């Protein structure tokens, strides 16, 4: 097919229906996304990348998005339904962050726009902090350091313990909990864990029968559960009181999980020897706002401002991971890791045209798609279908002859949200 024919057909289609050469796909990265993202995109052939060092307000964002196909944001850019509706050319969003609360996920799904993030790129950073905090707690470093800042000299071995040979109890053996397990064992700790889902123990770690057993036998308890109704105050006053006397608690998971009033009482009376808390029920929204917690002023409580995952390495990992997801969606239609979209893992398509068809998940769409190709005598070399809630996603690898003309028919199928062709 000649370029002129392609242009004629593309003029009849919506913006974004035909894939552009990679260097003409316009990418906007906001909020100082780590430079690793640009590196990955360049390696993948995407060179039309613009960066902005800050978040944009909805008006500016709408203006800037007019000719943008792919956008990358961190946590401060709000993608509302209104912004999405006006971003005509946009076909995917990368959240260079762990969370995706900043995007209206339902609206973007309805518009056939997948949203990607990097939920586990900071796992190692959290695990390292947990191990470091555990050592600090068993050596009572925080109290001694605070005293030294004031000119004090608390040189004593009393109550200071090595971590080797102690028992670490991990509550929640998921991505972070299992990493902590590996690092802790390398330092000579015995590791036990409790999870509501059966998990394969790593190394010599051992699952215990109950949370009660874990709390009663661990020298350091570290919590790595998600924020769910079941984990709200999982460590409440009654459970905290069953912790082994003289043990320590680390919480880098979510602020809702531990009753901090109760913990403050147990730290003050010495039942719990120390605690390191990185997450709080109510966290300041900005550096100008103040933190308020019952643990302030308690000498054996280390308080950190939700920095478990905040490292340069984690930012770099996030940059790499999200940039690759964006490139693979743009190149191949791969949606693995999308938070609001049916997930398909697709190999590159050589020698075929690839059609991406996003539709409402209603009966008969696949049948209609197949009929269009059968009627036109176009061979389908490969077909993939995945659904998620109200959304269906079909990817077809078809004979290049004639596939472009059929795109108009595909878009006319009832329930179609978006159709795009990669060639
Ligand atoms: P994950 O989803 O990989 O693992 C969570 C584990 O907890 C799962 O194995 C799950 O089965 C288990 N679980 C759920 N409910 C449970 C319960 N009631 N009792 C025992 N186990 C339960 O999550 P991941 O990535 O390991 O994250 C863990 C926590 O760390 C999350 O709350 C996350 O928000 C937080 N986090 C904090 C960061 C920080 O900067 N402080 C950075 C990254 C994550």
């Amino acid at each position: 097919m000649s370029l002129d024919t392609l242009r004629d057909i593309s003029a009849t289609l919506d913006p974004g229906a035909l894939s552009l050469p990679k260097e003409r796909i316009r990418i906007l990265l906001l909020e100082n996304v780590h430079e690793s993202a640009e590196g990955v995109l360049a390696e993948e052939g995407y060179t039309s990348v613009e960066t902005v060092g800050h978040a944009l307000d909805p008006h500016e964002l709408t203006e800037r998005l007019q000719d943008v196909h792919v956008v990358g944001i961190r946590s401060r850019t709000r993608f509302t339904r209104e912004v999405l509706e006006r971003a005509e050319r946009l076909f995917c969003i990368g959240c260079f962050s762990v969370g995706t609360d900043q995007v209206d996920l339902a609206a973007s799904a309805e518009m056939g726009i997948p949203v990607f993030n990097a939920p586990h790129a900071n796992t190692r950073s959290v695990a390292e902090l947990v191990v470091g905090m555990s050592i600090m707690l068993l050596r009572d470093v925080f109290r001694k350091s605070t005293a030294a800042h004031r000119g004090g000299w608390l040189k004593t071995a009393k109550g200071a313990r090595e971590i080797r040979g102690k028992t670490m109890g991990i509550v929640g053996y998921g991505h972070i909990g299992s990493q902590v397990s590996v690092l802790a064992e390398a330092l000579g700790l015995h590791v036990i864990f409790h999870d509501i889902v059966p998990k394969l123990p790593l190394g010599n770690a051992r699952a215990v029968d109950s949370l009660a057993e874990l709390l009663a036998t661990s020298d350091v308890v570290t919590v790595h559960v998600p924020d769910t109704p079941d984990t709200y105050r999982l460590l409440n006053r009654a459970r905290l009181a069953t912790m082994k006397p003289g043990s320590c608690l680390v919480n880098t998971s979510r602020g809702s999980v531990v009753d901090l009033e109760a913990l403050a009482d147990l730290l003050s009376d010495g039942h719990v020897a120390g605690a390191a808390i990185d997450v709080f029920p109510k966290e300041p929204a900005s550096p100008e706002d103040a933190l308020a917690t019952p643990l302030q002023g308690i000498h054996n409580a280390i308080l950190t401002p939700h920095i478990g995952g905040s490292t340069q390495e984690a930012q770099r990992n996030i940059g790499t991971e999200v940039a690759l997801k964006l490139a693979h969606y743009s190149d191949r239609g791969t949606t693995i890791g999308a938070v609001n979209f049916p997930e398909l893992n697709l190999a590159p398509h050589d020698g075929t045209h690839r059609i991406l068809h996003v539709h409402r998940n209603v009966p008969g769409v696949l049948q209609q798609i197949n009929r269009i190709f059968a009627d036109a005598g176009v061979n389908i070399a490969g077909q993939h279908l995945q659904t998620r809630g109200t959304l269906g996603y079909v990817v077809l690898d078809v004979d290049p002859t004639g596939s472009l003309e059929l795109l108009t028919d595909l878009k006319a199928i009832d329930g179609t949200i978006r159709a795009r062709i990669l060639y």
Side-chain angles (χ1 to χ4, degrees), residues 1 51 57 109 123 147 256 290 294 296 338 380 388 394 403 409:
M1 181 174 300
T51 56
D57 66 36
T123 296
S256 56
Q296 279 158 335
I380 299 177
R388 180 172 183 163
V394 172
S403 64
D409 297 338

Side-chain angles (χ1 to χ4, degrees), residues 167 192 206 208 212-220 242-244:
T167 298
I192 58 175
R206 183 170 61 84
V208 289
E213 182 183 343
L214 181 142
L215 295 175
T217 51
S218 300
D219 298 294
V220 180
T242 65
M243 283 175 67
K244 180 176 168 181

Side-chain angles (χ1 to χ4, degrees), residues 11 89 116-117 144 147 183 186 226 234 237 248 260 301 313 338:
R89 289 186 158 72
F116 299 95
N117 67 337
K144 291 167 183 165
L183 297 184
L234 182 67
R237 186 173 288 275
C248 298
L260 295 185
E313 289 80 0

Side-chain angles (χ1 to χ4, degrees), residues 143-144 167 332 372:
R143 186 164 65 102
K144 291 167 183 165
T167 298
R332 312 176 187 175
I372 288 170

Side-chain angles (χ1 to χ4, degrees), residues 120 126 172 174-176 195-196 199 224-226 252 254 278 306 308-309:
H120 303 297
V126 182
H175 286 84
I176 298 173
D195 200 299
I196 48 167
K199 295 278 171 144
H224 302 289
V225 294
T252 56
R254 298 298 283 262
D278 187 45
H306 204 144

Side-chain angles (χ1 to χ4, degrees), residues 232-384:
Y232 177 76
R233 299 258 167 133
L234 182 67
L235 295 188
N236 56 19
R237 186 173 288 275
R239 288 209 180 95
L240 287 170
T242 65
M243 283 175 67
K244 180 176 168 181
S247 61
C248 298
L249 176 71
V250 180
N251 184 20
T252 56
S253 65
R254 298 298 283 262
S256 56
V257 177
V258 180
D259 177 348
L260 295 185
E261 298 276 353
L263 179 63
D265 292 343
L266 289 162
L267 285 166
S268 299
D269 72 20
H271 179 87
V272 175
I277 303 295
D278 187 45
V279 286
F280 299 87
K282 200 161 177 289
E283 297 184 356
S286 75
E288 288 73 44
D289 300 328
L291 171 72
T293 166
L295 298 174
Q296 279 158 335
I298 294 180
H299 68 77
N300 45 354
I302 301 175
L303 308 181
T304 48
H306 204 144
I307 42 128
S310 307
T311 62
Q312 287 303 303
E313 289 80 0
Q315 288 305 316
R316 191 189 58 217
N317 293 345
I318 289 171
T320 308
E321 185 177 331
V322 179
L324 260 184
K325 286 175 176 169
L326 294 174
H328 286 173
Y329 177 65
S330 175
D331 286 354
R332 312 176 187 175
T334 291
T335 48
I336 289 294
V339 294
N340 63 341
F341 217 76
E343 292 186 74
L344 280 179
N345 195 3
L346 302 160
H349 58 110
D350 294 327
T352 57
H353 281 179
R354 177 165 286 174
I355 290 169
L356 317 180
H357 190 270
V358 187
H359 51 267
R360 288 200 304 279
N361 185 14
V362 290
V365 174
L366 195 57
Q367 204 179 8
Q368 291 185 66
I369 291 175
N370 287 337
R371 190 175 311 129
I372 288 170
F373 285 98
D375 289 350
V378 175
N379 185 42
I380 299 177
Q383 188 173 53
H384 315 264

